[in-house]
Amino acid sequence: MLRPKIPTNPMPTGIVTPPAAIEPTTVVQQPVAPAPTPVVPAPARTTVQLTPGAVVALVGCGTAVVLVVGAVLVSMLLAVAITAASLAICALVIRSLITADAKRR
């Protein structure tokens, strides 16, 4: 039922001409160009030279970054500690209110 059809190559139609005669060509050699002069490559990495002013600036910026990050971390720790203390105080007040109410009954 499902058989593949193999295509057949059609026969050429019309007049077939024989190939034209090919005449040999002469090879003319051109003068050889001189080799290009080698280019000296630039160094891959340049050395970094720090002046005393640049060193002072780097140390100052590094110190400022450490101080800012430290202040942020300490403030976050302080916020967590204050929140924990306030929750503990609220828990104590609620517990004392519940026990006082239970004793009155």
Side-chain angles (χ1 to χ4, degrees):
M1 182 174 171
L2 296 174
R3 290 187 180 169
K5 292 185 178 181
I6 300 173
T8 57
N9 291 334
M11 296 299 291
T13 58
I15 301 172
V16 178
T17 58
I22 300 174
E23 297 181 10
T25 58
T26 57
V27 177
V28 178
Q29 292 197 5
Q30 297 186 2
V32 178
T37 58
V39 178
V40 178
R45 288 185 172 221
T46 59
T47 57
V48 176
Q49 296 178 353
L50 294 176
T51 61
V55 171
V56 170
L58 283 175
V59 169
C61 289
T63 303
V65 167
V66 167
L67 289 176
V68 168
V69 169
V72 168
L73 291 177
V74 167
S75 65
M76 289 173 63
L77 179 64
L78 187 60
V80 169
I82 290 172
T83 303
S86 65
L87 285 175
I89 291 172
C90 288
L92 287 175
V93 169
I94 290 173
R95 187 176 74 174
S96 68
L97 288 174
I98 290 174
T99 55
D101 189 38
K103 286 182 181 178
R104 287 187 189 174
R105 292 185 182 195

